[in-house]
Amino acid sequence: MGSKVADLPHPFDPLSLDEIAHAIGLVRKAHGEVFFNVVSLQEPRKAEMTAWLENPEIAPRPKRIADVVVIAPGGKVYDGLVDLADSKIIHWEHAEGQQPIITMEELQLVEHIVRKDPKVIEQCILSGVAPEDMHKVYCDPWTIGYDERFGNNVRLQQALMYYRPEVDNCQYQYPLDFCPIYDADKGEIIHIDIPKIRRPLSTAPPMDYIPAAVEARGGYRNNLKPINITQPEGVSFKLDGRWLEWQNWKFHIGFNYREGIVLNDITFNDKGTVRPIFYRLSLAEMVVPYGNPEAPHHRKHALDQGEYGAGYMTNSLSLGCDCKGSIHYLDAEFPTRNGGVTTIKNAICIHEEDAGILFKHSDFRDDSVIVTRGRKLIIQQIFTAANYEYVVAWTFHQDGTIAPEIKLTGILNTYAMLEDEDTHGWGTQVYPGVNAHNHQHLFCLRIDANVDGPNNTVFVGDAVPSPHPVGSPENFYGNGFYNKRTKLATEGESKTDYNGATSRTWEIANTNKLNPYSKKPVSYKLVSREVPGLMPKEGSLVWKRASFARHAVHVTKYRDDELWPAGRHVPQTSGEPSRGLAEWIGDGTTSIDNTDIVLWHTFGVTHFPSPEDFPVMPAEPMMLLLRPRNFFAGNPVMDVPPSYCSTPSQVAAGKLGVLDATDKLSTLAFANGAVRVNGTNGAAAASCCSSKTNGVNGH
Amino acid sequence: MGSKVADLPHPFDPLSLDEIAHAIGLVRKAHGEVFFNVVSLQEPRKAEMTAWLENPEIAPRPKRIADVVVIAPGGKVYDGLVDLADSKIIHWEHAEGQQPIITMEELQLVEHIVRKDPKVIEQCILSGVAPEDMHKVYCDPWTIGYDERFGNNVRLQQALMYYRPEVDNCQYQYPLDFCPIYDADKGEIIHIDIPKIRRPLSTAPPMDYIPAAVEARGGYRNNLKPINITQPEGVSFKLDGRWLEWQNWKFHIGFNYREGIVLNDITFNDKGTVRPIFYRLSLAEMVVPYGNPEAPHHRKHALDQGEYGAGYMTNSLSLGCDCKGSIHYLDAEFPTRNGGVTTIKNAICIHEEDAGILFKHSDFRDDSVIVTRGRKLIIQQIFTAANYEYVVAWTFHQDGTIAPEIKLTGILNTYAMLEDEDTHGWGTQVYPGVNAHNHQHLFCLRIDANVDGPNNTVFVGDAVPSPHPVGSPENFYGNGFYNKRTKLATEGESKTDYNGATSRTWEIANTNKLNPYSKKPVSYKLVSREVPGLMPKEGSLVWKRASFARHAVHVTKYRDDELWPAGRHVPQTSGEPSRGLAEWIGDGTTSIDNTDIVLWHTFGVTHFPSPEDFPVMPAEPMMLLLRPRNFFAGNPVMDVPPSYCSTPSQVAAGKLGVLDATDKLSTLAFANGAVRVNGTNGAAAASCCSSKTNGVNGH
């Protein structure tokens, strides 16, 4: 068990091991032996929290409440709330017909049962697995998504089946073609989906990425020289509890089983004025629909956060490996199924990186120049959803930009195919006998906005030409264009799609505060270019279950507990009615004009696999920006020390007083003459940013 | 003058100082005193070059030819070609009614003349400049673009006027409202455009980014600890002449006055087979149209490469400043106006960077894991186009991806406004009296494709749902979707726009070679998401002059000398008829199916300025990808040594044989306990990638 909690936890802090254990103890006392699915912080009610943040001396400190989900014998699901200070269960309710998140422990159980099930064994033998090789049969258990044959009163998993000739082989190259259905309450296989066309186990030789396989193919390349990244004087950020301060930013770093990293109360110190920007940022949900319409592949549309939890699936990160430099880690603490507690060490890493040129300008008249290098701060986690890994990096820039970045890596989900079978365009043969289906990764970024205060308004911005024709007095030469701003006045109106042709952006504005110069409302702009539409059609199962993915943006009025846009309990929802966002928006008449709002942004990629992605995928990055626009009265990074600066007067005076803080560790690549094969060797670099020409002077 | 050329230059190499001087000498001898505008390599004819590259022993070595442009007395422009080995002018032609590129030297001249012109002085006084302060008046001379009042027989510049109270002030905060027109041949101001509404010189106090100004506002922040990036064992790339080899890549690095960096003969060594990918890559043109329709602002639409040259405007880079680590530089060599030669030291920098996680996968069953870090190679230049700087980085990844990246920084072009005057949406008041007009930065990437051979075909890829409705047998659950591929068969058909809704990509395929597994043609895919349409309307001046910007993609059959899509001589083209791409495509009937093709891709950003961009703009990055798809038979980076790897059998055996090449220089941020303010301090990081839980084991 963890160390004693010395200080009172901050109301935003995740539950500590002690708090989790305390909640578990209280629930056990009242309700006996149950399986613990969730014991997590119920986030403070916003009104109370805001009052306390503003006036911690006067306003009451928000209580620590544990949000609890348990599965009681008979598969009965209960939602509960536990007041930790009062040691009291304050809410307890049977969640009829709802299935809570499937934990890693539950997933682990299925494979062992699958291997012993006689009907599964029969299918394995039919597929070409030797009966004595059942220990070489593996499964990735997924929630069933939704299957109308079974409904949602029985807790189910579907077992995507694979074979590994050797334990170290990548199993995704030997998929099996049938799909057992597992009943969690009974702990047994209740059905097997068997395709009409059978596809026996592939006999292709393994293609692996493990060292032994690479060695057998000729070994590792040995032509990469180390790049060392060090911070001998330490890092530039400070942590006070879970409050991080860096380069005018301040925010609280939370973490939960569901969303993973949660950032709260993000502010920017603008020359002494602490300005709020976001009350809360998180990745609130995601969906990965696969595009093969043949049943049962339609069930492959993981809502990974609501169905498994980006927190529960998070990796334990390690120094010099997942990140380099000077790193700080934060752990994550969770309940276990049987009522214990567990820690994922190093669930979050925090570090800085050089960000290249922050700004530069030279005057072409005289070569006076300023070059300033930027820095970024990264709060990162990596979670593994069976085959895929998601690297989630919340990146903060000095100029007020927040750039959430996601990298996809790991392994494609695969299905069996006869060698060179027609995939009908729904997938790609990435290796003989291996069909990787088309899929999307759609993430829902939840932006609880607080741009210079709680009352915000969202505008769509479209770059459009002047309405006046070429040759008209208003647009004679035809070059006029402007940013057409459209206010989203109600939740219904807020349902907006991306428009590549107009480089559409969404502006989260505070219309009560105008920029002193532009006289436009202070705002943060959502600049996001990886915004594919949801490919599953209107009315499809995915469309119904993942209502957040129907549009690039939805905006809702803030309401406590509206955190997860596919609903609280996601597994086995039918989408009739849609839970979460569609339910909250309802008829869409609620005003979102100049009030406390939440913007939900769905972005991601559409992935048509290719052999390059197999057997493990080189990381594919995607990024979006939250940029201050008309928020500051000027460039907020002018006080970042330049690497080099010479002003026109200094240049004219022969460079007296030139500021030169250039990094002195950088070297010429071939200064020692050892490496370059041919040609003139490393003439000394020009002294920093000096006059650019020699020879006959052109100026 | 430079050193003697010992070896024969490679036919792709830029002209050396000696070669430039030799060409100049020959031209002078034949044509007397002329101004030298261009003396640059005429690139080898592709057929000859390809034959020689394939068979250097047998095929004749392509000749070194200098492409020369001069301005003779009376403003007469001549195009010439000089055979350097034979010391012979092989082509000489009067370029009637055409204006060649405006060199930095020509730009420099204007300001001095403007300051002495009585009519300009008169306007300055009217604006509020004291007569004795004319030395504080500056101008950014631009080509005139095209002005129908003056046509193109007279060589013109328009002088965008500014005032600097002190020499070190940023001039863009004090724009003047009138615009003198300079005649280069006469060396005098021939006209002044004066607006109807006069806007006197701003009296706002300066807002500067120079050290003295920052100090006066309270000084630089002192809370950034150094990040050191070092390569003690040297770099991982090799250079032989200008041929670079790195991580299976090999290519030639050229440079010219116009495009700056040119990359030739890009190949990838795929397990011993050298596979061609691109014959030539460059940024071939750009246009920056401004959106204020009021004359004469329509003339602000810089075609910076064709009008000034990304090579001529390039910065002299410096170590530890523009880039960090171990850097190699290449110089650029040019003629001067009067027939000298000049060198821009360090015009190109070459260096590696850590690229974060290249791939990762953990098995959720047992925490076996592989983490491999990536590396990238960057070939970079920075050029300054008067107010703006463009950082152009050609980034190569180990997995076969090429990612051209451009960062915009520098200073906004500004115009005078009355304080709080209505900008009518065409611009933003970024500071009192400073109107920054809306504008676009549109770049044209020229891709001379050679994907596994010269005969390539381009397909558009659109992600689209199955055509069958929800509930139909073919798409019962509605989730079907696929990549709809459309062949671009002719130059006319190739004119295609971006489609955000379908995440459109363009696939440069070799239909003669199929991937062994996917059976799809080997290809490189253009993945580009920053693709705003051209805002100036069809038929507008910009639309006519910059025909490449009318569509996101054009494809042409390869023809020698079709290098620059706005034409060879760009200043003062009227667009009637359009030069360059529109002219080459003509009626569009030429086949581009399975032949030697060039893809022209226009991408960029639409910029609505805000006060954050002033007085100097934090760098705004944009990136696109050229990705191998169905090109390799598998992930091409499996042989990059992992930082850490443990296989399931190793985990089961208690981690014997685990591969651990983790970077040992990384440290815990608060290991010394010195910095963290509060809370538990840096518990030791988990040993690399070890079992992730402690406490009660959840697995």
Side-chain angles (χ1 to χ4, degrees), chain B residues 155-168:
Chain B
R155 187 163 177 80
L156 300 174
Q157 296 182 39
Q158 54 182 324
L160 308 192
M161 301 295 295
Y162 304 92
Y163 179 76
R164 293 188 199 177
E166 305 293 335
V167 65
D168 290 344

Side-chain angles (χ1 to χ4, degrees), chain B residues 671-691:
Chain B
N672 59 7
V675 188
R676 195 173 179 192
V677 176
N678 198 356
T680 52
N681 206 324
S687 67
C688 190
C689 310
S690 65
S691 157

Side-chain angles (χ1 to χ4, degrees), chain A residues 8 27 53 146 221 225 252 296-297 308 321 327 351 356 425 452 462 478 557 597 608 615 688 692 698:
Chain A
L8 226 45
V27 170
L53 282 171
Y146 178 75
R221 59 183 78 177
K225 303 291 172 59
H252 180 277
H297 302 304
Y308 313 97
C321 201
I327 322 289
H351 75 288
D452 253 353
D462 291 302
K557 189 171 161 64
I597 52 141
F608 299 111
C688 191
K692 71 184 180 186

